[in-house]
Amino acid sequence: MLIYENTLWLLLAALLLDAVVGDPAWAWERLPHPVVWIGKVISVFDRHFNKTNQSPVFRKLGGVLTLVALVAGGMFFGALVQAVADSLPLGDLITVIVAAIFIAQNSLYRHVAAVRDGLQNDGLEGGRKAVSMIVGRDPKQLDEAGVSRAAIESCAENFSDGVVAPVFWFALLGLPGLIAYKAVNTADSMIGHKNEVYVDFGWAAARFDDLVNLPASRLAGLFIAFSAPLVRGSVRESLACIRQDAKKHRSPNAGWPEAAMAGALGISLAGPRVYPGYTVNDRYLNSTGRRDASAEDISRALRILLGAYGWQASLVIMLALLSV
């Protein structure tokens, strides 16, 4: 049950606000983004519970404590903001603005489009520079096809955890759920790595992030698949790619939207990838598809992304009408 009767209508307003305004640079040049504050809290726990002289068991327990503190703190802060908003005449507007801050429709589109524009305007070096802002792999190892595939993969995966998941948890639990989710997702991006430094301390954050992103990743895959006709792709082929290849991805969630995008565009995604200091030898999603992706394929992925935004908004509207 939704904790606020008008949650879905506020969510729709937040989606519209983010689509039109996004994250205005002038605001975050003057004030730190809330995610920055979440990151600072995570860094404090990291310094105290993830020291090299501590045992693996202590680090893992410290990671569990960090996760519990982040979830509890996120829920408490969200409930506090919601309570303040509910007590004010324009409280709904405050709720909409806060929700929009944590939804990344506008910024995701702009960051992916910047890779396309970099390739088209400044060649390979321009594309490498732009893609380095959204992926962790070594840009120097990427040719034009590699840059394009990296941007498309980021587009699909971040649609799930940067857009659909925040929307899902806001719809289910309001601002407390949204802010708690964002805290967990930020922790996963900062400490949820399987390297020597974070394999123990980041274990809880990584596993819990997998859990809370599970429903959103499935929805994201469906939204992408249903948008395939926008680029003359096949919904059936996109769904078939999800069914056959999503499980090949090392992530239990990222495989869904990435496989859907691969099938919709008719290209291969994932596969071997080079990161600073190590290589990931994953299998390809849609292995029979093209691998010579280009800036035009990024444009096609962006059209699918806009279609997926539309499907998500349509679902929110339908649920809001049903809840009246």
Side-chain angles (χ1 to χ4, degrees):
M1 179 180 295
L2 297 172
I3 60 175
Y4 305 110
E5 292 183 359
N6 60 343
T7 295
L8 290 171
W9 294 114
L10 296 179
L11 173 57
L12 182 62
L15 288 170
L16 292 172
L17 178 62
D18 175 65
V20 175
V21 178
D23 282 333
W26 60 265
W28 306 125
E29 287 173 355
R30 293 165 173 79
L31 295 171
H33 195 284
V35 172
V36 174
W37 286 108
I38 294 172
K40 290 181 182 294
V41 172
I42 295 168
S43 295
V44 170
F45 280 93
D46 190 1
R47 289 195 301 270
H48 285 84
F49 296 102
N50 192 31
K51 298 178 180 179
T52 55
N53 62 344
Q54 293 165 337
S55 70
V57 173
F58 183 90
R59 290 184 183 185
K60 183 168 285 190
L61 290 175
V64 172
L65 175 63
T66 301
L67 176 64
V68 171
L70 288 172
V71 173
M75 293 288 289
F76 174 79
F77 185 75
L80 179 63
V81 173
Q82 189 68 71
V84 171
D86 290 344
S87 68
L88 298 175
L90 296 177
D92 283 352
L93 178 60
I94 294 174
T95 300
V96 168
I97 292 173
V98 173
I101 288 172
F102 290 101
I103 298 173
Q105 294 175 121
N106 188 298
S107 61
L108 175 59
Y109 185 94
R110 287 189 291 103
H111 280 96
V112 176
V115 181
R116 175 200 60 194
D117 297 342
L119 284 172
Q120 291 178 337
N121 299 330
D122 301 308
L124 180 57
E125 288 306 312
R128 285 173 171 172
K129 181 178 179 180
V131 84
S132 69
M133 304 298 292
I134 59 173
V135 300
R137 64 197 69 179
D138 186 353
K140 296 180 181 178
Q141 304 297 321
L142 298 174
D143 56 12
E144 180 178 351
V147 168
S148 299
R149 288 199 306 271
I152 294 168
E153 290 164 19
S154 180
C155 178
E157 182 178 359
N158 284 300
F159 170 57
S160 175
D161 59 21
V163 179
V164 182
V167 165
F168 177 87
W169 287 107
F170 180 82
L172 194 65
L173 297 174
L175 287 181
L178 171 60
I179 296 177
Y181 165 76
K182 203 63 183 179
V184 172
N185 190 243
T186 303
D188 178 61
S189 67
M190 290 180 63
I191 64 175
H193 309 295
K194 294 182 179 179
N195 56 30
E196 185 178 352
V197 177
Y198 290 115
V199 64
D200 296 309
F201 181 68
W203 171 82
R207 297 291 74 77
F208 195 66
D209 184 73
D210 287 342
L211 178 64
V212 297
N213 273 300
L214 191 148
S217 66
R218 275 60 180 170
L219 286 170
L222 294 177
F223 292 149
I224 289 172
F226 293 152
S227 302
L230 294 174
V231 295
R232 298 183 180 180
S234 166
V235 174
R236 179 178 296 180
E237 290 180 10
S238 183
L239 292 173
C241 194
I242 294 175
R243 185 173 60 253
Q244 296 167 8
D245 290 351
K247 59 183 177 293
K248 295 179 181 178
H249 202 287
R250 64 177 49 226
S251 165
N253 295 318
W256 280 69
E258 288 189 27
M261 186 68 81
L265 295 175
I267 63 176
S268 293
L269 294 177
R273 302 184 296 282
V274 179
Y275 293 83
Y278 66 99
T279 300
V280 172
N281 291 307
D282 283 352
R283 291 184 288 175
Y284 282 100
L285 307 179
N286 193 27
S287 59
T288 59
R290 290 186 295 109
R291 296 183 187 175
D292 58 338
S294 66
E296 175 56 30
D297 289 306
I298 300 177
S299 291
R300 296 171 67 224
L302 287 170
R303 288 200 292 275
I304 287 177
L305 182 65
L306 291 177
Y309 289 169
W311 279 109
Q312 178 176 248
S314 298
L315 178 60
V316 172
I317 292 171
M318 182 186 71
L319 293 175
L321 291 173
L322 290 174
S323 68
V324 173

